[in-house]
Amino acid sequence: MSNSSAQSSNFIRHIIDQDIANGKNDGKVVTRFPPEPNGYLHIGHAKSICLNFGVARDYQGQCNLRFDDTNPEKESQEYIDAIKKDVQWLGFNWSELRHASDYFEKLYEYAVELIKLNKAYVCSLNAEDIRKQRGTLTEPGIESPYRNRNIEENLELFADMRAGKYKEGEHVLRAKIDMGSGNINLRDPVLYRIKYATHPRTQDKWCIYPMYDYTHCISDSLEGITHSLCTLEFEDHRPLYDWVLDELKTPSHPQQIEFARLSVEYTISSKRKLNLLVSDKHVDGWDDPRMPTISGMRRRGITPESIREFCDRIGITKKDAFIEMSVLENCIREDLDPRSNRLMCVINPLKVVIENYPDDKEEEFTAKNHPKDPEQGKRSIPFSKIIYIERDDFMEEPTKDFFRLGSGKEVRLRNAYDIKCTDVIKNDMGEIVELLCEYDPDSAGKNKKKLKGIIHWVSAKHAINVETRIYDRLFNTPNPGAVEDIISTLNNKSLSIHKDSKIEPHAKTITLEDRVQFERQGFFCLDSKHTKEKLVFNRIVTLRDSWTKPGQASKK
Ligand code: ATP
Ligand code: MG
């Protein structure tokens, strides 16, 4: 993890440095990453993971993984398992694995205590009336008619709520704070609601569930969290966080600190919206390589090192901002370039017959696996009379700035010979199906004529048939999250599948862990879901930035 140990400093680290200097929390640093298991983790979560685990690592502290599992209908074991796998894959290990549900009994006892302190009451208004009476930013709320129920009655009603004597929505437990507060979160927020749902862990033991704001601060305190790092939208919830802990005199009072959410252009980071894409089958599951999920990025071939480097590079600030996708892609390229073997793969093949090359002759050319790293060795590349080149690398009537192959033009085959196009063969529909060429036998291995156009190729006889999948942005607009109908912003060209790609035989040695560079095409890896029948390659990223112009991502 060398790249992220050099984490740049940020305002949170300054606060921690000061706390340590002042001997606060006995100099300890304890953080947590608290996902709700209602979906798969995405790139935004990666920022929070790198921050929380990174801080704990660098200050010799602890970081817990805590599932914030208080909404049983939306949560599942599948999500819990996926989240654990993703955190570990990113390179982090939690000190302790916790669940908010571990504290259900304790949270209940604390709620009873709040009632006894006359700081909470059972309210029998329905959800709609509670909402209406909450007031607005400019108008104070209205006190509930149940606000002054006596403590005995509240205790009994709350016990009966737990015992299952009421229907959903019949009662809630509310904090008694201030209906006139300028902060709406302090206008007698709901602490508990009745919900007859089976919980992935506690099953049917509970029919009342605590709300996030109440659960989170107490869970933090029970775990001895020192710095509770969360995103900016919780800033207005901090007074409630502090109120609960102050009233209950819990074991410790963690400090909540907010930082800016990560938003990346042309993508979304909301589990709810990502879930919609999955359930309506707009993508091939949570791990579709176009998804901004950790599992999607993993299947795409993006490395944990690149994601950690990206999180480090964008830094931690107090101001929300959109990050360009090219920032992530640059991190990926910088990570992959030094470690990826080079190969030649023709994605969209066009047959070329070299007429003056002997019919039965075969040759082997030797090429470096990496242009700058001799350690990565060499490989041999077979050559024969019939080869494939990329369709895009031929233009019948080439324009001035087209340096690749054209009728009557000469081009260099990378690692092999110079060839000149002598004829073009078309089918009945006028489509080009084959090129006839002549090679220069004296040009083996050397670009003596200094030809500008150098293209990749594969010997037809020796080629392996593979499938290549080229990905473009999943959304057409920079901020799809702001569009009401997210589906309308989907890019219907975000995936192109090439079932007839041809690759040199050396590809047989590629394993699932490998990342390779297909010369001129980008970085690729094997798709983890398709390995048996045919090799399927995912393009991880292009060789150069392709995000500047819409619709350019799949071009070279
Ligand atoms: P979602 O809307 O996707 O469900 P969330 O914030 O509700 O997001 P949680 O599972 O509650 O998701 O998040 C776990 C932690 O990750 C929280 O501390 C949250 O602040 C943080 N987090 C979530 N999204 C982002 C993001 N885009 N940038 C930074 N941190 C994030
Ligand atoms: Mg949440």
Coordinates of all heavy atoms in Angstrom, one line a residue, residues 32-38 41-42 44-45 47-48 52 68 212 229-231 233-234 259-263 269-272, ligand 1:
R32 N -14.7 4.5 12.2 CA -15.6 3.4 11.7 C -16.1 3.7 10.3 O -16.2 4.9 9.9 CB -16.8 3.1 12.6 CG -18.0 4.0 12.4 CD -17.7 5.4 12.9 NE -18.8 6.3 12.4 CZ -18.7 7.1 11.2 NH1 -17.6 7.0 10.5 NH2 -19.7 7.8 10.9
F33 N -16.3 2.7 9.5 CA -17.0 2.9 8.2 C -18.4 2.2 8.4 O -18.4 1.0 8.7 CB -16.2 2.2 7.1 CG -16.9 2.2 5.8 CD1 -17.3 3.4 5.2 CD2 -17.3 1.0 5.2 CE1 -18.0 3.4 4.0 CE2 -18.0 1.0 4.0 CZ -18.4 2.2 3.4
P34 N -19.4 3.0 8.3 CA -20.8 2.5 8.6 C -21.8 2.4 7.5 O -22.7 3.1 7.4 CB -21.2 3.6 9.6 CG -20.7 4.9 9.0 CD -19.4 4.5 8.2
P35 N -21.6 1.5 6.6 CA -22.5 1.4 5.5 C -23.9 0.8 5.9 O -23.9 -0.1 6.8 CB -21.8 0.4 4.5 CG -21.0 -0.4 5.4 CD -20.5 0.5 6.5
E36 N -24.9 1.2 5.2 CA -26.2 0.5 5.3 C -26.2 -0.6 4.3 O -25.9 -0.4 3.1 CB -27.3 1.5 5.0 CG -28.6 0.9 5.3 CD -29.8 1.8 5.0 OE1 -29.6 3.0 4.8 OE2 -30.9 1.3 5.0
P37 N -26.5 -1.8 4.7 CA -26.4 -3.0 3.8 C -27.6 -3.0 2.9 O -28.4 -4.0 2.9 CB -26.3 -4.2 4.7 CG -26.9 -3.8 6.0 CD -26.7 -2.3 6.1
N38 N -27.9 -2.0 2.1 CA -29.0 -1.9 1.3 C -28.6 -1.8 -0.2 O -29.4 -1.3 -1.0 CB -29.9 -0.7 1.6 CG -29.2 0.6 1.5 OD1 -28.0 0.7 1.3 ND2 -30.0 1.7 1.5
L41 N -21.4 -1.3 -2.5 CA -20.6 -0.1 -2.3 C -20.2 0.5 -3.7 O -20.0 -0.2 -4.7 CB -19.4 -0.4 -1.5 CG -19.6 -0.9 -0.1 CD1 -18.3 -1.1 0.6 CD2 -20.5 0.1 0.7
H42 N -20.1 1.8 -3.7 CA -19.7 2.5 -5.0 C -18.5 3.4 -4.7 O -18.0 3.4 -3.6 CB -20.9 3.3 -5.5 CG -21.6 4.2 -4.5 ND1 -20.9 5.2 -3.9 CD2 -22.9 4.2 -4.0 CE1 -21.7 5.9 -3.1 NE2 -22.9 5.3 -3.1
G44 N -18.1 6.4 -4.3 CA -18.2 7.4 -3.2 C -17.9 6.7 -1.9 O -17.2 7.3 -1.0
H45 N -18.3 5.5 -1.7 CA -18.0 4.8 -0.4 C -16.4 4.6 -0.4 O -15.9 4.6 0.7 CB -18.7 3.4 -0.4 CG -20.2 3.6 -0.2 ND1 -21.0 3.2 -1.2 CD2 -20.9 4.0 0.8 CE1 -22.3 3.4 -0.8 NE2 -22.2 3.9 0.4
K47 N -14.2 6.5 -1.1 CA -13.6 7.7 -0.5 C -13.7 7.6 1.1 O -12.7 7.9 1.8 CB -14.3 9.0 -1.0 CG -13.8 10.3 -0.3 CD -14.4 11.5 -1.0 CE -13.9 12.8 -0.2 NZ -14.5 14.0 -0.8
S48 N -14.8 7.3 1.5 CA -15.1 7.2 3.0 C -14.2 6.0 3.6 O -13.7 6.2 4.7 CB -16.6 7.0 3.2 OG -16.8 6.8 4.6
N52 N -11.5 6.7 6.4 CA -11.6 6.1 7.8 C -10.5 5.1 8.1 O -9.9 5.1 9.2 CB -13.0 5.4 7.9 CG -14.1 6.5 8.3 OD1 -14.1 7.1 9.3 ND2 -15.0 6.7 7.3
D68 N -24.9 -0.5 9.4 CA -26.0 0.3 9.9 C -27.3 -0.3 9.5 O -27.9 0.1 8.6 CB -25.7 1.7 9.3 CG -26.4 2.8 10.0 OD1 -27.2 2.5 11.0 OD2 -26.3 3.9 9.7
Y212 N -31.9 6.3 12.3 CA -30.5 6.5 12.0 C -29.8 7.4 13.0 O -28.8 7.1 13.6 CB -30.3 7.0 10.6 CG -28.9 7.4 10.3 CD1 -27.9 6.4 9.9 CD2 -28.4 8.7 10.5 CE1 -26.6 6.8 9.8 CE2 -27.1 9.0 10.4 CZ -26.2 8.1 10.0 OH -24.9 8.4 9.8
L229 N -16.5 10.3 11.2 CA -16.4 11.1 10.0 C -17.6 10.8 9.0 O -17.8 9.6 8.8 CB -15.1 10.7 9.3 CG -13.8 10.7 10.2 CD1 -12.6 10.2 9.5 CD2 -13.6 12.1 10.9
C230 N -18.2 11.8 8.6 CA -19.4 11.5 7.8 C -19.5 12.6 6.7 O -18.7 13.6 6.8 CB -20.7 11.5 8.6 SG -21.0 13.0 9.4
T231 N -20.4 12.5 5.8 CA -20.5 13.5 4.7 C -21.3 14.7 5.1 O -22.1 14.7 6.1 CB -21.1 12.8 3.4 OG1 -22.0 11.8 3.8 CG2 -20.0 12.1 2.7
E233 N -23.9 16.3 4.3 CA -25.4 16.4 4.6 C -25.7 16.1 6.0 O -26.9 16.4 6.5 CB -26.2 15.5 3.6 CG -26.0 14.0 3.8 CD -24.9 13.4 3.0 OE1 -23.9 14.1 2.7 OE2 -25.0 12.2 2.8
F234 N -24.8 15.6 6.8 CA -25.1 15.3 8.2 C -24.7 16.5 9.1 O -24.9 16.4 10.3 CB -24.4 14.0 8.7 CG -25.0 12.8 8.0 CD1 -24.3 12.2 7.0 CD2 -26.2 12.3 8.5 CE1 -24.9 11.1 6.4 CE2 -26.8 11.2 7.9 CZ -26.1 10.6 6.8
F259 N -17.3 15.9 5.9 CA -16.4 16.2 4.7 C -17.3 16.1 3.5 O -18.4 15.5 3.5 CB -15.2 15.2 4.7 CG -15.6 13.8 4.5 CD1 -15.7 13.2 3.2 CD2 -15.9 13.0 5.6 CE1 -16.0 11.9 3.1 CE2 -16.3 11.7 5.4 CZ -16.3 11.1 4.2
A260 N -16.8 16.6 2.4 CA -17.5 16.6 1.1 C -17.7 15.2 0.5 O -16.8 14.4 0.5 CB -16.9 17.5 0.1
R261 N -18.9 15.0 0.0 CA -19.2 13.7 -0.7 C -18.4 13.7 -2.0 O -18.1 14.8 -2.5 CB -20.7 13.7 -1.1 CG -21.7 13.2 -0.2 CD -23.0 13.2 -0.9 NE -23.4 11.8 -1.4 CZ -23.8 10.9 -0.6 NH1 -23.9 11.1 0.7 NH2 -24.1 9.7 -1.1
L262 N -18.1 12.5 -2.5 CA -17.5 12.4 -3.8 C -18.6 12.3 -4.8 O -19.5 11.4 -4.7 CB -16.6 11.2 -3.8 CG -16.1 10.8 -5.2 CD1 -15.3 11.9 -5.8 CD2 -15.3 9.5 -5.1
S263 N -18.5 13.1 -5.8 CA -19.4 13.0 -7.0 C -18.5 13.0 -8.2 O -17.7 13.9 -8.4 CB -20.4 14.1 -7.1 OG -21.1 14.3 -5.9
S269 N -23.7 8.2 -7.6 CA -23.3 7.4 -6.5 C -24.4 7.4 -5.5 O -24.3 8.1 -4.5 CB -22.0 7.8 -5.9 OG -21.9 9.2 -5.8
S270 N -25.5 6.7 -5.8 CA -26.6 6.6 -4.9 C -27.0 5.1 -5.0 O -27.3 4.7 -6.1 CB -27.7 7.5 -5.2 OG -29.0 6.9 -4.9
K271 N -27.0 4.4 -3.9 CA -27.3 3.0 -4.0 C -28.7 2.8 -4.5 O -29.0 1.8 -5.2 CB -27.2 2.3 -2.6 CG -25.8 2.0 -2.2 CD -25.7 1.3 -0.8 CE -25.5 2.4 0.2 NZ -25.8 2.0 1.5
R272 N -29.6 3.7 -4.1 CA -31.0 3.6 -4.5 C -31.1 3.6 -6.0 O -31.8 2.8 -6.7 CB -31.9 4.7 -3.9 CG -33.3 4.6 -4.1 CD -34.1 5.7 -3.3 NE -33.7 7.0 -3.8 CZ -34.1 7.6 -4.9 NH1 -34.9 6.9 -5.7 NH2 -33.7 8.8 -5.3
Ligands
ATP1 P1 -26.4 5.9 -0.7 O1 -27.3 7.1 -1.0 O2 -25.6 5.5 -1.8 O3 -27.1 4.8 0.0 P2 -25.4 6.6 1.9 O4 -24.7 7.7 2.3 O5 -26.8 6.4 2.3 O6 -25.3 6.5 0.3 P3 -24.3 4.6 3.5 O7 -24.2 3.1 3.3 O8 -25.1 5.1 4.6 O9 -24.7 5.2 2.1 O10 -22.8 5.2 3.6 C1 -21.8 4.7 4.4 C2 -20.7 5.7 4.6 O11 -20.2 6.1 3.3 C3 -21.3 7.0 5.2 O12 -20.4 7.4 6.2 C4 -21.4 7.9 4.0 O13 -21.3 9.2 4.5 C5 -20.3 7.5 3.1 N1 -20.6 7.8 1.7 C6 -21.6 7.4 1.0 N2 -21.6 8.0 -0.2 C7 -20.5 8.8 -0.2 C8 -19.9 9.6 -1.2 N3 -20.5 9.8 -2.4 N4 -18.8 10.3 -0.9 C9 -18.2 10.1 0.3 N5 -18.7 9.3 1.2 C10 -19.8 8.7 1.0

